[in-house]
Amino acid sequence: MKIKWFSLIRILGLVTVLGYHFFVKSFPGGFIGVDIFFVFSGYLITSLFFIELEKSGSFTLLTYYKRRFIRIFPPLVIMIVTTLPFTLLLPSDFRANLAKQVAAAIGFVTNRFEIQSGLSYEAQQTPQLYIHTWTLSLEFLFYLIWGALLFILVFWLKKQGYTGKKLLGQTRFIVFVLAVLASIASIIYLEVTFDPKYLSYSYFAFASHAYPFFIGAIIATIVGVRISDKQRAQFSNYPVKKILLWSGVPILILLLLSIFGKFESIWTIRTNLILTSVLTAILIVQFRILHERTTSPEPKILTVLADTSYSIYLFHWPVWLVISHFVSQVFLAGVLSFIVSFTASAAVYYGVEPYFHGKQPAKWMMSKPFYGGLGVVVLVGVGVMLTAPTLSKTERSLHEAAISEAMVSLDQKGQLGQNLYDVGNNINANTSWYNPDAGFNTSTDMRLKQSTSISDKILNSSQTVLGDSVMVGVVPYLATILPDADVDAQVGLNYDSILNSFEKRVKAGTIGKYVIISAGANVTSDMTADVQKIIDNAPKGTRLVFVTPYNGKNKVVLNEFNTYLKSLPNKYKWIVVADWASYIEPQENLLWADKIHFAGKQDVAIDYLNLLAQSLNEVAKSKGKP
């Protein structure tokens, strides 16, 4: 039984997700569309369960699993197979670990990738082609667990002698209780385990993000796809104005959440997504009533978009990565990505999927050119996976920078570290840092053509450098201008960890008189507060240099933060801002594909060090913190 206007829920979820991925500046909170899908999925699956139970008086678990598998797996495989060859159009960084990405996608474990990355889509170093399939990981687990629970419940009730309407009524009540308890348990788990420094776990883990499915299941026990005659009579008299009000307001709030929400905000995961689930549940009820209040069919375009929404979701992300790489105009790239995704999805839904449902396939599917073309695509895709690099250039450069950083540290420890240094030198010889032509084949004679030298006043004082992965790539060069600096630079550090490192040094009395802080690419929700704490806790006489972070794929949040940083020197005469973001933005093509890092690129590192040197010399003119 097809319910009119349910298409609007699917389309709302699709539009917000596409808005987030295509036009993130305008829809930074559009990822709430995923939760809209989750709620509707929980509702639909549970409603179909009740329909089967009412019709047959039983629930066949294997048939249920088969239906779910056929619905989600074939389109997924088709999307992967047809998009793999197009990855050859992208830089090799996009194909790093491609075989593992594909395995994770078809194995429904991509959410583990997201948990490990700890980032939003827009903050990944190099976007993974199939990372959006993390949603299928949660869907798969829900189908698996919920289906098994429903089967066990029906089996147990039938053993107790329940049949017919009594079986249906008792099952509905217990499912309602189970769904309520599961929703509450998931939300409690989310709140208890929530860590603002580790947002990805709360967002991508099933246990803390299962509640939307169960909220949808709750609604299915109250207002399912099939309703009673009593409910139908009640709905037929329900005022249309109320429907418009109780559907219009939730839609407006959801749109506002997609426009003003941010992944990095702690309230997004702790409250906004829960609110999204509740609002979606209200919409399901309102549109179910609207189905009974209207006689005319919904517009065909809504039906088509709703039918193809799953496949559009599957195709849109890899299609967007390819098209946006060649089309710099964001709006045009978004429109083209939608057109291509919709076309491919329509072909899959109306041409290919019927075959898996036992229906007559489209004629073009039975032709020799189709099979020949499919064979070529599969062979190319397999070849792409087999030849894909294990590490991206960005990752490789950071690993090499870390090795070189360790070499510099060992070289400074004197004879005691010489043996380790010799061992490390053999490793270092195989990295891009070991380059005699560049003039720094060992850390002893590592020299760069600096246009700005550090004043003796600074060199004769103490210096502390705190930074993230960007600074990791600079450390081997940094030793040439600040050989005695206390450096703490690590991949993945954010302002929370920088603040912690700063406070430990202040407490121990080891913080330098000159402090350089280079972080922010790993965005947190309270960076400005952390900066203010650093300023407040800095000892008297301290001089601070803040480096503006740059991420070409996450400019919205960082531009706001950098504006704040650049306002500090007006208030504090002992603070100088090294505006790296403004310097590198016009020439971001000099960075690696992630548009953040430049480890191993000597010319860019020289520019970065010149900026640091100029800022240090400038802040040295001040008397320090009063």
Side-chain angles (χ1 to χ4, degrees):
M1 180 181 180
K2 191 172 183 63
I3 305 298
K4 300 189 300 289
W5 313 117
F6 272 178
S7 298
L8 292 174
I9 297 176
R10 285 191 173 119
I11 293 172
L12 180 62
L14 181 65
V15 167
T16 51
V17 169
L18 296 187
Y20 173 58
H21 288 161
F22 295 170
F23 314 115
V24 66
K25 289 184 179 180
S26 301
F27 299 96
F31 49 84
I32 65 169
V34 167
D35 287 72
I36 295 175
F37 282 129
F38 285 169
V39 175
F40 189 74
S41 181
Y43 169 82
L44 192 61
I45 294 305
T46 309
S47 292
L48 293 176
F49 158 74
F50 284 125
I51 290 176
E52 179 180 344
L53 185 62
E54 184 178 0
K55 282 184 176 180
S56 64
S58 64
F59 176 64
T60 307
L61 185 61
L62 290 180
T63 302
Y64 161 81
Y65 283 151
K66 180 182 177 181
R67 284 199 302 262
R68 292 298 92 211
F69 182 80
I70 289 176
R71 178 68 186 101
I72 66 174
F73 194 71
L76 172 65
V77 173
I78 293 170
M79 179 275 293
I80 293 174
V81 168
T82 55
T83 55
L84 273 174
F86 291 96
T87 63
L88 293 173
L89 300 175
L90 296 171
S92 60
D93 277 11
F94 286 84
R95 297 190 297 279
N97 256 330
L98 191 55
K100 288 186 178 180
Q101 288 188 53
V102 172
I106 63 177
F108 301 109
V109 292
T110 308
N111 65 320
R112 305 309 304 178
F113 272 71
E114 285 287 58
I115 290 174
Q116 292 170 12
S117 73
L119 302 170
S120 66
Y121 280 64
E122 301 305 319
Q124 294 167 10
Q125 290 181 359
T126 302
Q128 296 185 35
L129 286 154
Y130 306 118
I131 202 67
H132 64 305
T133 61
W134 73 268
T135 60
L136 300 186
S137 305
L138 271 61
E139 290 263 6
F140 176 77
L141 284 173
F142 172 71
Y143 295 155
L144 199 66
I145 296 170
W146 195 230
L149 285 175
L150 295 177
F151 175 77
I152 293 171
L153 173 61
V154 172
F155 179 81
W156 178 74
L157 287 176
K158 291 178 73 173
K159 282 288 186 181
Q160 302 303 310
Y162 288 95
T163 58
K165 291 185 178 180
K166 287 186 177 181
L167 173 63
L168 183 63
Q170 192 67 15
T171 302
R172 192 183 299 276
F173 172 74
I174 296 177
V175 168
F176 173 82
V177 174
L178 286 175
V180 169
L181 292 176
S183 301
I184 293 173
S186 178
I187 292 173
I188 290 176
Y189 182 80
L190 164 66
E191 300 296 340
V192 170
T193 62
F194 182 80
D195 183 352
K197 299 178 183 178
Y198 197 24
L199 298 177
S200 59
Y201 178 80
S202 297
Y203 187 70
F204 298 111
F206 177 75
S208 54
H209 206 157
Y211 59 86
F213 297 103
F214 295 112
I215 289 176
I218 293 171
I219 300 304
T221 64
I222 302 171
V223 183
V225 169
R226 178 171 293 185
I227 58 177
S228 66
D229 293 336
K230 182 179 179 181
Q231 283 180 314
R232 185 170 289 105
Q234 291 174 337
F235 294 165
S236 63
N237 296 317
Y238 195 86
V240 174
K241 289 184 178 180
K242 277 192 175 183
I243 298 176
L244 295 177
L245 176 65
W246 283 98
S247 58
V249 172
I251 290 175
L252 176 62
I253 296 174
L254 289 172
L255 290 176
L256 289 174
L257 290 176
S258 69
I259 293 173
F260 297 105
K262 296 178 182 178
F263 181 84
E264 296 79 14
S265 170
I266 60 174
W267 298 112
T268 293
I269 295 177
R270 301 192 76 174
T271 59
N272 291 6
L273 296 184
I274 298 174
L275 176 60
T276 296
S277 298
V278 173
L279 292 173
T280 304
I282 294 173
L283 287 177
I284 291 173
V285 174
Q286 296 305 310
F287 290 141
R288 182 62 187 85
I289 297 174
L290 186 62
H291 171 82
E292 301 297 333
R293 292 289 284 113
T294 57
T295 55
S296 58
E298 66 181 9
K300 186 65 175 178
I301 185 62
L302 296 183
T303 303
V304 172
L305 286 174
D307 289 343
T308 58
S309 60
Y310 171 58
S311 291
I312 292 176
Y313 176 82
L314 289 178
F315 276 99
H316 85 280
W317 181 245
V319 167
W320 161 255
L321 291 181
V322 174
I323 290 180
S324 63
H325 181 72
F326 293 99
V327 180
S328 58
Q329 213 289 324
V330 175
F331 180 77
L332 179 60
V335 171
L336 290 175
S337 296
F338 174 76
I339 293 173
V340 173
S341 300
F342 174 73
T343 303
S345 302
V348 171
Y349 184 81
Y350 295 108
V352 181
E353 283 195 59
Y355 171 79
F356 294 99
H357 294 284
K359 299 178 181 179
Q360 183 67 30
K363 291 183 179 180
W364 56 267
M365 279 189 62
M366 307 303 294
S367 64
K368 290 182 180 180
F370 171 76
Y371 284 110
L374 181 62
V376 171
V377 169
V378 170
L379 288 176
V380 173
V382 171
V384 169
M385 285 194 297
L386 293 178
T387 58
T390 304
L391 291 175
S392 67
K393 292 178 181 178
T394 303
E395 293 170 320
R396 180 179 176 82
S397 68
L398 288 175
H399 288 317
E400 292 179 355
I403 293 174
S404 189
E405 178 186 4
M407 294 294 295
V408 171
S409 177
L410 287 172
D411 191 37
Q412 293 174 340
K413 295 184 184 301
Q415 188 61 41
L416 186 61
Q418 190 60 48
N419 291 338
L420 287 174
Y421 177 84
D422 291 338
V423 173
N425 200 39
N426 292 329
I427 300 174
N428 200 39
N430 296 315
T431 73
S432 61
W433 299 95
Y434 194 89
N435 186 350
D437 295 334
F440 55 92
N441 58 317
T442 69
S443 61
T444 303
D445 60 5
M446 189 187 296
R447 293 294 181 267
L448 299 177
K449 296 178 181 179
Q450 286 295 118
S451 62
T452 304
S453 58
I454 300 293
S455 71
D456 290 338
K457 180 180 179 181
I458 299 171
L459 294 176
N460 292 330
S461 186
S462 56
Q463 315 103 30
T464 298
V465 179
L466 305 175
D468 55 17
S469 55
V470 174
M471 183 58 73
V472 169
V474 179
V475 168
Y477 306 117
L478 186 66
T480 66
I481 63 170
L482 294 175
D484 300 320
D486 169 26
V487 181
D488 181 7
Q490 299 177 44
V491 175
L493 289 189
N494 54 36
Y495 258 100
D496 288 338
S497 46
I498 292 290
L499 172 62
N500 185 50
S501 179
F502 181 86
E503 290 179 336
K504 284 183 178 179
R505 282 170 168 76
V506 171
K507 187 175 181 180
T510 59
I511 195 72
K513 292 296 183 182
Y514 292 85
V515 181
I516 298 175
I517 296 178
S518 174
N522 301 300
V523 178
T524 62
S525 61
D526 52 359
M527 293 196 297
T528 56
D530 289 337
V531 169
Q532 190 58 54
K533 288 178 182 177
I534 289 173
I535 294 172
D536 294 339
N537 295 336
K540 289 183 178 180
T542 302
R543 298 168 178 85
L544 289 175
V545 173
F546 287 102
V547 183
T548 55
Y550 182 76
N551 181 348
K553 298 177 181 178
N554 195 23
K555 295 180 183 179
V556 179
V557 174
L558 289 183
N559 283 346
E560 182 180 339
F561 176 65
N562 287 338
T563 299
Y564 162 75
L565 285 183
K566 287 185 282 188
S567 71
L568 295 176
N570 295 327
K571 186 176 181 181
Y572 305 98
K573 302 303 180 184
W574 47 281
I575 293 178
V576 167
V577 173
D579 195 3
W580 171 248
S582 296
Y583 175 83
I584 198 62
E585 183 173 12
Q587 45 189 347
E588 66 175 19
N589 60 302
L590 298 177
L591 303 173
W592 291 115
D594 66 348
K595 297 185 180 180
I596 301 175
H597 300 95
F598 51 87
K601 296 193 174 189
Q602 184 182 3
D603 291 341
V604 185
I606 290 174
D607 293 340
Y608 189 88
L609 288 184
N610 279 330
L611 189 62
L612 291 185
Q614 293 166 11
S615 299
L616 282 171
N617 288 338
E618 183 179 346
V619 80
K621 298 175 183 178
S622 74
K623 296 180 180 180
K625 181 178 180 179

